[in-house]
Amino acid sequence: MSPIAMGGPALFIGTDTVYVALVRPELDPADPGVRLAAEQAGVSPEEFAGPGNVWALMLDEGGEGDGFELPGARDIEADDFAEQLQRSLAAAEPFTAEAGNFLRLEARPAGDAWVVTARVTPPEGHEDGAAPQTLELGALPAAELLADLEEFRRALA
C-alpha cells in the first residue's frame, strides 16, 4: 500500500524507503488546509484545488524525496502503462516497461517476487536540469504488484 495520500489515482511501486509513484493528486476544496491556502492566494477553494488532472511522478530513496509534474500526461497513458505492466508480469519473464520518456522499469522474476529497477528522467526544466536517477526498488511481491495495478486501473475507470 502506498505511503502517499494524494486523493487521486496513485500507482506506488517500491517500499517505504525507496519507491516511484505515478500520481494524479486531487485536492479537496472542503479541506481546511486547502481553504486556508486558497484564502492566502486570494482565490476560491475550488479554483485553488483545480481540475485534478495533472499527473506527477514522485520518487524517494532513503528520505531524499523528489517529484515532478508530467506536462501533457493523460489518464489513458497511465492506464496503458499499468496494462503493459500487468501483461509483462503475467508473462513471468524479465521485462522493461516505459511510461513516456520519464520512467522505465526493468524487472526480473525472483521466486514469488520481482526485482525491480526504476530509471527516472525528469522533464526539461525540472530543478535546473536534474540528472536522471536509477533506483533499486528491491524484490517486490508479485501478488501485491498485480493487486496494486488492478486497484490503480479501477481508480482510473
Side-chain angles (χ1 to χ4, degrees), residues 72-85:
R74 301 171 306 177
D75 287 5
I76 188 72
E77 293 156 338
D79 187 54
D80 287 347
F81 177 65
E83 183 180 19
Q84 178 185 9
L85 286 174

Side-chain angles (χ1 to χ4, degrees), residues 121-156:
T121 304
E124 285 186 32
H126 173 69
E127 290 188 18
D128 301 321
Q133 295 183 31
T134 299
L135 291 90
E136 298 297 335
L137 304 180
L140 308 176
E144 287 181 30
L145 283 171
L146 287 168
D148 288 348
L149 286 164
E150 189 62 37
E151 181 180 328
F152 178 70
R153 294 190 73 205
R154 272 196 306 273
L156 288 172

Side-chain angles (χ1 to χ4, degrees), residues 5-9 23-29 34 49-54 75 155:
M6 292 287 168
V23 299
R24 189 186 72 203
E26 291 179 6
L27 299 176
D28 179 0
V34 171
N53 61 358
V54 177
D75 287 5

Side-chain angles (χ1 to χ4, degrees), residues 18-128:
V18 58
Y19 64 83
V20 294
L22 186 59
V23 299
R24 189 186 72 203
E26 291 179 6
L27 299 176
D28 179 0
D31 180 275
V34 171
R35 297 180 73 72
L36 178 61
E39 182 180 320
Q40 291 172 343
V43 297
S44 73
E46 292 76 18
E47 184 179 356
F48 186 83
N53 61 358
V54 177
W55 283 93
L57 182 71
M58 309 299 292
L59 58 132
D60 192 4
E61 184 172 39
E64 297 295 321
D66 196 6
F68 47 86
E69 286 187 10
L70 302 170
R74 301 171 306 177
D75 287 5
I76 188 72
E77 293 156 338
D79 187 54
D80 287 347
F81 177 65
E83 183 180 19
Q84 178 185 9
L85 286 174
Q86 283 178 314
R87 282 193 317 267
S88 297
L89 290 168
E93 304 218 353
F95 69 88
T96 298
E98 295 183 354
N101 59 0
F102 56 87
L103 175 62
R104 185 173 77 225
L105 296 180
E106 297 167 358
R108 67 182 191 288
D112 289 341
W114 285 85
V115 176
V116 181
T117 300
R119 303 202 189 280
V120 177
T121 304
E124 285 186 32
H126 173 69
E127 290 188 18
D128 301 321

